Amino acid sequence: MAYPTVSAPYGFQPINRIGGNPYAGSTRLVPIVSSGGLTSAAMFDGDLVELTSAGTCQVVSSGSAAPQALGVCVGVQYTNSLGQTVPAQYAPANSSNAVAYVVDDPTALFKVVSVSGTTVVASMGRTAVGQNTSVVLNAGVAASGDSQQAISTTTNTTNTLPIRIVDVVPETATGADAYVEFVVKINTHTYNNTTGV
């Protein structure tokens, strides 16, 4: 049987909630961190983002420890040079008044690709389920507006790692026990952090 090929990471895609309930598409509008009214860095559809002490969001600053992970960006809006509010797939660096649509439900599940390096798709066995892993912070693709974030094939039980692997995606397996896409949840969600930002 031929399986569809996954040739590159695409960030985190929301699919449903931990109990199996469908993902209803709900998001929260969160301002993207800025300096002088302009974004300091680009943010792409599928990027894992974190909450800052200013109440804004930014792409997670560390792939191996993101205790303030807020959720996943699934689109943005910003003001263009003509003063128009533009809905978009990603916010370029130096965007004005940029706001992210963030899936911030701490029980949301996401589909994501595993990589052995930056964007080199690599498989893991089913033994990865239940393990924690880090986020590989690849830059997004401006032409498509898509993230290229992925998860590492190095897994562990370390409780500070931001991602928990919940299941495999059998449809894109490359062998009997070789999976390249996984269902994951945010392990270190800011809403579950009793300390606060």
Side-chain angles (χ1 to χ4, degrees), residues 75-147:
V76 301
Q77 66 182 40
Y78 60 91
T79 304
N80 67 13
S81 60
L82 299 175
Q84 301 162 321
T85 300
V86 178
Q89 192 86 346
Y90 87 107
N94 301 316
S95 298
S96 177
N97 303 315
V99 178
Y101 294 85
V102 179
V103 177
D104 68 340
D105 181 351
T107 67
L109 296 180
F110 304 91
K111 186 169 72 167
V112 66
V113 173
S114 58
V115 295
S116 61
T118 51
T119 59
V120 179
V121 176
S123 65
M124 292 189 282
R126 190 165 181 85
T127 55
V129 173
Q131 294 279 301
N132 298 330
T133 190
S134 58
V135 179
V136 180
L137 300 176
N138 299 312
V141 180
S144 65
D146 292 332
S147 171

Side-chain angles (χ1 to χ4, degrees), residues 13-59:
Q13 292 183 349
I15 54 171
N16 60 8
R17 300 179 74 205
I18 195 74
N21 290 336
Y23 166 60
S26 61
T27 58
R28 185 174 310 282
L29 281 174
V30 183
I32 299 173
V33 68
S34 66
S35 176
L38 301 176
T39 59
S40 53
M43 182 178 291
F44 294 83
D45 176 49
D47 277 349
L48 184 66
V49 300
E50 63 189 2
L51 191 64
T52 72
S53 59
T56 59
C57 69
Q58 64 185 11
V59 176

